[in-house]
Amino acid sequence: MDFAVSPLFLWDAFSGVLSSELQVSSPSSSLAYAVGLAAFTAGVLVGGRLADAVAPRRLALVVGGGVVLGLAATASAESLPVLVLGFGVVLGGATGLGYATAVRVAGTAATKRGSAVAVVVSAYAAGAVVLAPVVDVLLGVVGRAGMFAVLAVLLGGLVVCASALLPDTVASARSLSAEPAPAEASSTEPAATGLAALRPYSRPILASWTMFWLGSAPALVAFGHAGDFARTPESAIAAVVLLNAGNFLGRLAAGPVADRIGHVPALHATAAALVGACLTLVLVARPAGALAALLVLGAQYGAVSVLTPMAVADTVPADRFGTAYGAVFSGWGVVGLAGPVGAAWMATATGYPAVAGVLAGVAALFWAAVVWVSSTRSATGR
């Protein structure tokens, strides 16, 4: 399912065609992508809470309907408002709901939790890699409308097939986790619901939220400015490829590593890698050094995308994991929108080495946040 809900991040593969056919400028059409990112973040926030209360199989069917409807609207869009509504609101929201549902199921696994989360979130990254050349071929063969129609049938069908493998009751999903709730969660009062149910875990959730956005910020900036960090125009394509390859490999490797050594030591390793990569971008002028740093930066981002849900699952009971992870993920949405824009504004005045210096400071703060997450883990006895 996570593979099938990845078309939001295929935007660059067809944005030029959309701008041309709708007769709008690229900055104007990119509004659909910006709205999609916001809707994706909102979908994870709301979807996490829904995943704690609704059977994953039912949510998957809703996701499939949203993916088909959003792609169909994009296929038939003749104006920018329809594109924003179909691609941005509907597809973006369905993508967020699907991502939250898949991570919720993986994050509550009783054993091999790291490997389970790694498979799920790496599939999301792999979707964009695998589907991009497919989109390119379909655009040349059947055009914009035909391409989106094919994607709607293909990806909608995949989500429906995936739903058959998901638990059909909330109880089934909850039973995947054998860990007890932290001591402070016990109470004779009626159980709270939604965000109110997270009150006993506010400190570890705040720590994880801070850690996640700090750990994601450098790579999210780099995704928007990879060619600029690579030093030369000739290295731009290699920079994009290495950044995305690192993202995929980091996601795939982090889970099994965390299953062996624990997610806290793995988080410290990602913090060290992030500091090293950012300092390399500051100090090394040669393109080869910058490309190596971007590969590491992508791997660190992929790893923290796996390790963060593991950290959340370690401090809240399984039946509140979805809500908690949705709240933690909101920081990603904020920095994903503001980070690249802020970096572009700063670079016009100071250049990209100075931007990399700021990112190195962010990396140091991320390491401090990892220490904070570790201390909250100890406090809850997990």
Side-chain angles (χ1 to χ4, degrees), residues 317-345:
D319 60 356
R320 301 179 191 180
F321 170 77
T323 306
Y325 181 67
V328 168
F329 196 88
S330 64
W332 179 95
V334 174
V335 76
L337 289 171
V341 175
W345 173 80

Side-chain angles (χ1 to χ4, degrees), residues 6-380:
S6 60
L8 178 67
F9 291 93
L10 292 171
W11 174 256
D12 281 343
F14 46 70
S15 59
V17 172
L18 287 170
S19 297
S20 176
E21 293 195 4
L22 297 182
Q23 296 182 340
V24 296
S25 65
S26 293
S28 295
S29 66
S30 66
L31 176 63
Y33 180 61
V35 170
L37 288 179
F40 174 79
T41 305
V44 175
L45 179 61
V46 176
R49 181 174 178 179
L50 287 175
D52 285 338
V54 181
R57 185 174 299 174
R58 295 182 184 179
L59 288 178
L61 294 175
V62 174
V63 169
V67 168
V68 171
L69 184 60
L71 290 172
T74 307
S76 59
E78 297 294 338
S79 65
L80 183 59
V82 175
L83 178 65
V84 171
L85 177 62
F87 186 87
V89 177
V90 179
L91 183 63
T95 298
L97 176 60
Y99 188 86
T101 302
V103 172
R104 201 272 181 186
V105 173
T108 52
T111 60
K112 302 286 186 182
R113 179 178 292 164
S115 298
V117 175
V119 167
V120 167
V121 301
S122 63
Y124 189 79
V129 175
V130 173
L131 292 174
V134 175
V135 164
D136 187 54
V137 171
L138 288 175
L139 281 173
V141 175
V142 296
R144 185 255 294 193
M147 180 272 291
F148 280 112
V150 171
L151 282 186
V153 174
L154 173 64
L155 300 182
L158 279 178
V159 176
V160 171
C161 291
S163 69
L165 302 175
L166 290 169
D168 59 356
T169 65
V170 179
S172 297
R174 287 174 180 169
S175 66
L176 289 172
S177 177
E179 295 186 5
E184 68 267 31
S186 60
S187 174
T188 58
E189 298 178 3
T193 60
L195 294 176
L198 301 180
R199 210 165 283 139
Y201 316 96
S202 57
R203 186 167 177 260
I205 289 173
L206 178 60
S208 296
W209 179 86
T210 304
M211 180 189 73
F212 191 35
W213 80 259
L214 286 171
S216 302
L220 290 174
V221 168
F223 275 115
H225 304 276
D228 298 302
F229 282 117
R231 301 288 196 264
T232 63
E234 295 78 12
S235 303
I237 296 299
V240 173
V241 171
L242 289 173
L243 192 59
N244 282 282
N247 179 27
F248 174 71
L249 294 174
R251 289 170 185 253
L252 202 58
V257 170
D259 283 337
R260 285 181 171 272
I261 68 174
H263 66 271
V264 172
L267 280 168
H268 281 286
T270 65
L274 182 58
V275 170
C278 291
L279 288 177
T280 300
L281 290 175
V282 175
L283 301 174
V284 178
R286 293 185 177 181
L291 292 176
L294 290 172
L295 176 65
V296 173
L297 195 58
Q300 178 273 334
Y301 171 68
V304 83
S305 298
V306 173
L307 299 173
T308 298
M310 292 184 68
V312 174
D314 200 44
T315 52
V316 301
D319 60 356
R320 301 179 191 180
F321 170 77
T323 306
Y325 181 67
V328 168
F329 196 88
S330 64
W332 179 95
V334 174
V335 76
L337 289 171
V341 175
W345 173 80
M346 180 180 176
T348 57
T350 63
Y352 281 93
V355 173
V358 172
L359 295 182
V362 171
L365 292 175
F366 167 66
W367 206 335
V370 170
V371 175
W372 185 16
V373 167
S374 177
S375 69
T376 60
R377 178 176 182 268
S378 301
T380 57

